[in-house]
Amino acid sequence: MKLSAFLSNLIIHFLLAPALIGTTYLYLYPLFQGCGFPEPRSQTPEPATCQAPSSPQSLLTALQAPFQSREGSKAPFRLLALADPQLEGDTSLPPHEDETPFPSLVRLRHEIAEHGFSRVPHAVRVETSRFWTEDISNAIRTYRKKLDLWGNDLYLAHVYRSVRWWADPTHVAVLGDLLGSQWIGDEEFTSRSGRFWGRVFKGGQKIEFGDISGGGSEVMGEAKWKRKIMALAGNHDIGYAGDVDDARIGRFEEAFGSVNYEATFRLNETAGEDVPELRILVLNSMILDEPAKDTRLLDDTREYLNRKLYFELPAPETSTVLLTHIPLYKEAGICVDGPFFDYFDEAYGGGIKEQNHLSQAMSERILDGVIGPERDRAAVILNGHDHSGCHVYHSTQRMLDIEALMAREAGESPGDTWDATRFESAAAQATIANKSLTGVEEVTVRSMMGSYGGNAGLLSAWWDAEAKRWRFEYAHCMCGVQHIWWAVHVLDLVLVALGILWVGVSAVELVRDDGPRVSREKKTS
Ligand SMILES: *[C@@H]1O[C@H](CO)[C@@H](O)[C@H](O)[C@H]1NC(C)=O
Ligand SMILES: *[C@@H]1O[C@H](CO)[C@@H](O)[C@H](O)[C@H]1NC(C)=O
């Protein structure tokens, strides 16, 4: 068999179909999985009525309905929430003595320059063996790691681009741990934040001071906010309370925007007096618990929380979407991460070194705050940190009993007033429907990293005019582990390379086959 025939067989029978299917799936995965923002629905579903279409006119409208309703029934507020991209960088590369990939060659040159040519045979012997045993394997590891980092950036970019294109969010948030380490130098920090904006979230824009300082509300769905990215601070960006200082916060805010702010949005309605509003509250939870290295920063953050959740309250119908990095307290066993605290040694300040959840007292302070003094405001909390993700319902008494009220007035935590369960079991046990209880949904968004399947969270909010209340619903969309992304692109690359080879080989064979025939023809003529 000719080489060209072998190549075309290989391409057509073995590579083309998998490459086409893989590529189509990878680039349209949100469509194939039916991902999308949950659509508004009535909380108390009416029994479905089935009426026969009575005239051709209504038959036509009935046929068109599924297509027309899609646009009209979209939720007005659609938040794309991504968690923990954790961009790695040079700290995860194997160490090098020099910047060069082959330090033994440099050492050899130094040796000769210093000691003259008499040492050459010995130096060559030593450095040659080190070249083979150390340099080559280090160089391979370094370039493999660099390729990994590059591929990882493109994979994350693919997740963001695909879901954003397909689902059309009105807002985008990245819920902290944007970078992989808080202990990197300024140069590396600049390089990674450059990759964040230039490669992974290309086209996204940082929240500027002018975007959030206005005080008023903006219309939901404006093009401007579709490009903005609310990039939150996580422990790998600025450190935990025992670590955070002004310098770390300063460089973070310069690159990614403020760590604490609120932005309020209203429905695009002009009719009526009170247009329903929704408030996004971004809270830096890295420095809310004690002990902290910088107590002034701790006081400032707590003061911000108190102001936004207890003193400067929006209208009662206004709901809060609280975005933060660390999940709220819940007992072990509800989510993958249970409660956990670790502290620095006294010699290093004794502050918080690591935490899985906020403390119970701080969590209850937040929960009591978001449901408001009437204890019935609708709110939802989104965070990251626990890479596996978790969906929880925090419930509490709608009315506080007298003991709990007195404890609150004395400034103590009422204690045990909040109860967390997995969202599905809260729904199944009718905790959510229980009229004597109220509650808050908390979604810990699963990480967007490849090893967690490239997850994207989709939170919808819509106004329930009947109940005069905002409604929330969460869904998610998974791309699949990064190996799928790699496999599809490598397959495509191989296919293209073989295609080019086939064209070349066919051309050569054509010339070679034609050659003798032409000369034969010449002879016979
Ligand atoms: C708000 O509604 C008006 C009138 O229906 C429409 O022209 C405009 O595009 C809407 N704005 C947004 C941001 O959706
Ligand atoms: C509602 O919750 C209260 C307090 O937890 C409980 O005592 C009561 O039985 C619940 N009601 C229903 C109908 O589940």
Side-chain angles (χ1 to χ4, degrees), residues 219-222 268:
V219 169
M220 278 176 195
E222 273 188 275
N268 189 11

Side-chain angles (χ1 to χ4, degrees), residues 59-130:
L59 181 64
L60 191 66
T61 20
L63 283 174
Q64 283 171 340
F67 301 98
Q68 285 175 340
S69 68
R70 262 198 79 81
E71 199 51 37
S73 65
K74 264 187 186 176
F77 178 85
R78 306 182 295 278
L79 173 68
L80 169 60
L82 300 157
D84 303 76
Q86 298 204 180
L87 302 193
E88 297 286 341
D90 71 356
T91 43
S92 54
L93 294 176
H96 268 313
E97 290 174 36
D98 293 285
E99 279 309 302
T100 155
F102 303 115
S104 57
L105 298 183
V106 177
R107 281 196 305 269
L108 188 61
R109 215 182 53 221
H110 283 316
E111 186 91 346
I112 293 170
E114 241 171 79
H115 303 287
F117 285 95
S118 60
R119 298 266 300 214
V120 167
H122 171 73
V124 165
R125 211 169 43 240
V126 170
E127 295 303 342
T128 311
S129 99
R130 287 187 68 180

